[in-house]
Amino acid sequence: MFHIKRAFEAYIDGFQEITMIIPKSNKQTEHTYFNLVHEHNQTRLPVSSRVEFVSFIKYTVHSPNTLLLDQSYEIEDEFGLRTDLQVGGVIHSTEFDEKYAYEGNDLGATYTTDSTVFKVWAPTASKVKLRVYLLTDENEKYTEYHMDRKSNGVWEFILNEDCEGYVYTFLVCVNLIWREAVDPYAKSVTVNGKHGVVVDLSKTIKVKKATSPSIERYTDCIIYEASIRDFTSHPLSGVQKKGCYEGFFESGTTFNNMPTGFDYVRSLGVTHIELLPIFDFEGVDEENPFQSYNWGYNPLNFNAPEGSYSQEPKDPYVRINELKTLISTYHSAGLRIIMDVVYNHVYDLQTSHFERIVPGYYFRQNENGLPSNGTGVGNDFASERLMARRYILHSLIYWTKEYDLDGYRFDLMGILDTTTMNQIEEELLSLKSDLILFGEGWDLNTSLDPTQKASIHQSHKLKKIGFFNDKFRDGMKGSTFSINEFGFVQGKRNNDSFDDLLTGSFGGI
């Protein structure tokens, strides 16, 4: 990662608190005050605390005035060395959310035939640009537009022309470093998710409503879980378009005169099909999808359909229409579609669009200031922060309205917080009362108060959200984590809980 060489580091860790990190390699390390420099004015700030570490000394000072993130400041030590004042730990504070959280639902690209309004939430940025690409086989040409800072840390640019099909990204400058990021709200993307694409959703097909009657009780749902790729990729599946959206609803396929694929699942008597992740994910080259394999738990672009399942991954409209046709076909057959969502982490923290736009905000930190890792993949999404919570909520509302999905299964739901999950329940059930919500309520080691985790131990706080039952799973087939702990199918018979497991246990506890 690009690094700027500074005499020392200075951070806004609170709206009136500044932290200096002075390397012991500096000639002068003993300080009694620092000067806050703003628009040629200096304010002397006496040192309020000093803590010595192995290779540096940490100083803290306090400003009499509130520090504003849309202003530029410098810090000068008493020996004349200066450095820029960077945005630091202040972004983790409740005050930051209260001051900068944006309540609008129009982030991303809002398209009309006359103009497109581009908006990105980047409150810690000093500058933001919109980059519009002209992609050719030879190179990537682009035009850049300086975006205007509006209220609550939102940056905006209005391009007064028909922008349908325009390929774009955002360039964000934070703490003097420029980073390029795909719009987290992009509704479709270029191949392998490298750029956002402006699409006119009115030109995509409309999903047909489900023909089956509403399920009155959640316990009447019979859910069949499947991967788009795995469902049809076997050589003997009889499906022509293997491993893709269109193959998932291909009819008339057989093996030894027995139905396969779509016709097979229709014959089972299930009520819902749960699709493993269908949002854009990392790990598979969309132009060569069968050269690598991934189930899809590597989130990249949460609001765009995955391109490796499409017949034409380079066309931003085709992947949308193929997925909508899949859902419509199952709805017409009396089956409903649940989407497996993975809002608990991203594929890679450092290259994440969220991290590039607002570094340090969207992911939890542990007591040492390092990324929290309850997910086991190197990052935990900080759902308790207002804009992280609102992103999840707006994303789910978008999928529900645009794709008419019938439910969501939350991967590692225990990473998320109960307030977020309750808001999801309230908003989504107001849109679709028979929608089903459930997830993995594991109690994971993330840096969130245990009473706030959406874990199975907090199920009493989540009235209409179901939980995976790992006690049933482990009791039947053996422990997932220990090969020495056998289950019923492995020969263990002396377990008093089997009757409870078979007749339907509650909560897995």
Side-chain angles (χ1 to χ4, degrees), residues 162-183:
D162 189 343
C163 300
E164 183 186 358
Y166 280 22
V167 174
Y168 71 101
T169 57
F170 295 122
L171 273 77
V172 182
C173 184
V174 178
N175 295 337
L176 303 183
I177 296 178
W178 285 94
R179 298 176 178 88
E180 185 176 12
V182 176
D183 175 9

Side-chain angles (χ1 to χ4, degrees), residues 184-359:
Y185 290 83
K187 298 174 177 65
S188 198
V189 290
T190 59
V191 67
N192 291 321
K194 292 183 178 180
H195 315 86
V197 182
V198 179
V199 291
D200 180 0
L201 288 172
S202 69
K203 292 185 177 181
T204 65
I205 68 170
K206 186 174 179 61
V207 174
K208 295 180 181 178
K209 296 295 181 182
T211 60
S212 58
S214 297
I215 300 292
E216 294 184 3
R217 296 176 299 181
Y218 291 140
T219 50
D220 290 336
C221 297
I222 305 172
I223 302 170
Y224 184 98
E225 181 183 25
S227 156
I228 294 288
R229 177 167 170 170
D230 292 356
F231 189 65
T232 59
S233 60
H234 193 280
L236 301 179
S237 70
V239 175
Q240 296 301 308
K241 297 178 179 178
K242 292 180 171 61
C244 64
Y245 297 121
E246 292 192 347
F248 204 87
F249 57 85
E250 192 175 312
S251 62
T253 62
T254 62
F255 172 70
N256 283 345
N257 296 318
M258 297 292 290
T260 62
F262 175 54
D263 291 340
Y264 167 73
V265 91
R266 289 176 65 188
S267 71
L268 295 178
V270 301
T271 61
H272 292 69
I273 310 300
E274 179 195 318
L275 299 179
L276 269 62
I278 51 176
F279 53 74
D280 188 49
F281 57 80
E282 186 63 87
V284 176
D285 181 355
E286 293 181 351
E287 294 186 277
N288 301 285
F290 287 97
Q291 289 189 357
S292 53
Y293 180 80
N294 196 282
W295 256 352
Y297 293 90
N298 294 340
L300 194 59
N301 297 292
F302 284 94
N303 290 350
E306 166 61 16
S308 67
Y309 298 147
S310 174
Q311 295 290 293
E312 298 182 44
K314 289 185 177 181
D315 189 321
Y317 281 95
V318 170
R319 63 176 73 190
I320 294 175
N321 282 329
E322 288 173 338
L323 177 55
K324 286 186 172 183
T325 302
L326 184 159
I327 298 168
S328 293
T329 304
Y330 275 77
H331 278 179
S332 297
L335 296 167
R336 296 176 181 243
I337 299 292
I338 295 170
M339 178 182 178
D340 192 339
V341 291
V342 191
Y343 294 111
N344 62 81
H345 74 278
V346 296
Y347 173 63
D348 178 69
L349 188 152
Q350 294 301 326
T351 60
S352 162
H353 313 316
F354 297 104
E355 183 68 9
R356 291 181 176 187
I357 293 172
V358 193

Side-chain angles (χ1 to χ4, degrees), residues 102 106-110 115-123 125 127-131 145-160 170-172:
Y102 179 62
D106 58 350
L107 294 175
T110 302
S115 65
T116 295
V117 180
F118 296 89
K119 287 187 177 182
V120 60
W121 185 72
K127 296 177 182 179
V128 180
K129 297 178 184 179
L130 168 69
R131 178 176 285 184
Y145 304 91
H146 288 275
M147 302 183 75
D148 299 318
R149 187 176 189 125
K150 302 296 182 179
S151 60
N152 296 89
V154 172
W155 296 76
E156 177 185 277
F157 184 79
I158 302 174
L159 195 50
N160 291 308
F170 295 122
L171 273 77
V172 182

Side-chain angles (χ1 to χ4, degrees), residues 102-114:
Y102 179 62
E103 294 185 359
N105 60 358
D106 58 350
L107 294 175
T110 302
Y111 169 83
T112 68
T113 55
D114 296 324

Side-chain angles (χ1 to χ4, degrees), residues 441-454:
W442 319 143
D443 188 3
L444 300 165
N445 187 27
T446 187
S447 52
L448 183 68
D449 188 306
T451 63
Q452 296 180 34
K453 295 178 184 178

